[in-house]
Structures are given as structure tokens and as C-alpha cells.
Amino acid sequence: MQPTATAWSGLDSVRAEIARACKDAGRDPAEVTLVAVSKTFGAEAIEPVIAAGQRVFGENRVQEAKAKWPALTAKHPGIELHLIGPLQSNKAKEAVALFAAIHSVDRPSLCEALAKEIARQARHPLLFVEINTGAEPQKAGVLPQDADAFLAACRDTYDLTVSGLMCIPPHDEAPGPHFALTAKIARRNGLKLLSMGMSADFAVAIAMGATHVRVGSAIFGGREKKA
Ligand SMILES: *Cc1c(COP(=O)(O)O)cnc(C)c1O
């Protein structure tokens, strides 16, 4: 299959910008994982990005990932899928089976469901707790003031190993303070990983310590429907 011009140029420029942001921040580019967010895109758009060497992909819906990825992962060894969208507790079983990382842990009922499936399947996806840094009512995530207690409960009540934090800053605000707050909460809780930064702001996120940037449209182009 011929790679599309969009995929090549998009991925190349995102990689270049990640390298530049790391250099500016005095960070090793190996510390930053690019999660290519392929939600809404089909195999024909994803294949060229795999062909260009990308192996880590993000999806925001369990059902979509389940429909789309098994055929691709069978063909291409070493693919790693990350769940970046909200997870219903009744899909924890499928999520633990399918994903190498879950970026959206945000409530006790989900912790309980994940803990059960992790034990049952003996699979250990990397877990990120989502922080609702803007305290936006329509958004998922733990409120910043509840984060320390929630992380303690993950550890002590549910026996879950959380590796990092994730945030999605409000659309209409400068992202820097939200990234800084997320980094601060991670630091005081001894968490090493930070999932932050999307197409519009991943360079800022890298400057503030992001270890995982979730980039969709800058790689794949615009999405037709809102996802
Ligand atoms: C869609 C999505 C992204 C990617 O957004 P772009 O602006 O297309 O880069 C990142 N994170 C989450 C949680 C998303 O839902």
C-alpha cells in the first residue's frame, strides 16, 4: 500500500518537533513516547504510519480498538495500544486484554474492576490516573485536590500500581499551568510518567516533563466526526 503524503509529512514533522522540544528542554528524546492517536481512522490511514516505524498507538474507545486493531497487530509485530479515552468498568476485562497502557483511571469502581482483571489475566497494563486539572464538570478525571487520596486508595485499597498521571487541559486556556500542576502532583506522589500534550501543545508539555504525548490530528490529519 502506498503511504499517503499526509501520514508521512505529519509523522515526520511531529517527530522533528519532539526532537526539538527535547533539545530545548535538555531532555533525552528517548524519555518521550509518541502515542499516535488513530481514533476514527481506518487501516488504510494507519498502515503508512506503521510502515514509517511508529509502534505505539492510542484509541479512545474499547469497541473501536477491538474492531480495528487485531488484524493490524497480527500483521505487524511489536504494536502497543494505549487507551486514552474514558473506560466503563464493564469494559475493564476487554481493556486489560487489549491495551498496554490505560491513561484514564479516574474512579474507585474502575480501580476495583481493573484490579480484578489484572489479577485474573495476569496482564499488567501501565496505569495513568487522569487529573481534571481545570475542574471541568463535563470532563472525566480526579479533581486536583482529591488526587493524593485517590492515588493512596489505588495503592492501599485496590493494590494497583499506578505509574503516572494524565491530563487534558481546558480548550480555552493556556495549557502550561495545567501541565505544571499535573507534574507537581506526580512529583509529590513519586510517579514518573506524565501523559500530557496533544497536537496543539505537545512541545509545551515536553518542556514541562511529559513522558507520553498523545498526538492525533498532527499525524493523521483532521477527523471528520468529533471523537
Ligand atoms: C483525541 C485525543 C487526543 C489527540 O488529539 P489531537 O488534537 O488530534 O492530537 C489526545 N488525547 C485524548 C484523550 C484524545 O481523546
Side-chain angles (χ1 to χ4, degrees):
M1 180 177 294
Q2 280 301 310
T4 65
T6 316
W8 280 105
S9 55
L11 182 63
D12 284 348
S13 56
V14 168
R15 283 173 168 166
E17 205 180 326
I18 289 172
R20 207 195 45 209
C22 286
K23 190 157 176 279
D24 289 350
R27 298 185 58 197
D28 179 353
E31 289 173 16
V32 179
T33 299
L34 171 60
V35 181
V37 177
S38 49
K39 65 188 183 194
T40 78
F41 288 95
E44 73 292 343
I46 296 171
E47 289 272 11
V49 176
I50 296 174
Q54 179 65 27
R55 285 296 175 273
V56 182
F57 289 87
E59 290 285 342
N60 68 334
R61 293 200 172 101
V62 175
Q63 290 316 117
E64 181 183 343
K66 227 179 109 183
K68 200 158 95 178
W69 277 98
L72 286 163
T73 48
K75 246 192 333 193
H76 303 283
I79 300 275
E80 197 180 284
L81 296 180
H82 289 213
L83 181 65
I84 60 168
L87 177 59
Q88 292 169 260
S89 300
N90 64 9
K91 298 224 172 78
K93 179 179 174 181
E94 290 166 298
V96 168
L98 197 57
F99 294 100
I102 296 170
H103 293 234
S104 49
V105 178
D106 68 349
R107 55 195 196 283
S109 58
L110 178 58
C111 291
E112 194 177 340
L114 285 172
K116 190 175 129 210
E117 284 305 323
I118 286 168
R120 215 177 54 84
Q121 300 183 36
R123 285 177 51 92
H124 292 83
L126 274 182
L127 300 179
F128 295 79
V129 166
E130 180 172 352
I131 307 295
N132 185 357
T133 56
E136 296 172 277
Q138 82 285 10
K139 219 172 245 179
V142 177
L143 292 173
Q145 64 268 29
D146 299 335
D148 294 356
F150 183 79
L151 287 162
C154 286
R155 189 185 56 232
D156 301 334
T157 308
Y158 301 104
D159 200 21
L160 281 181
T161 302
V162 171
S163 297
L165 301 181
M166 180 270 232
C167 75
I168 310 171
H171 276 306
D172 53 352
E173 287 181 32
H178 295 274
F179 296 151
L181 174 59
T182 306
K184 185 174 141 193
I185 297 169
R187 214 160 34 238
R188 72 171 180 243
N189 284 281
L191 301 175
K192 296 224 158 47
L193 303 183
L194 288 168
S195 168
M196 49 191 210
M198 309 183 7
S199 290
D201 54 21
F202 65 86
V204 179
I206 288 171
M208 319 216 77
T211 61
H212 291 69
V213 292
R214 311 176 311 267
V215 181
S217 48
I219 296 173
F220 290 98
R223 287 178 293 272
E224 273 172 30
K225 50 181 192 216
K226 192 155 163 44

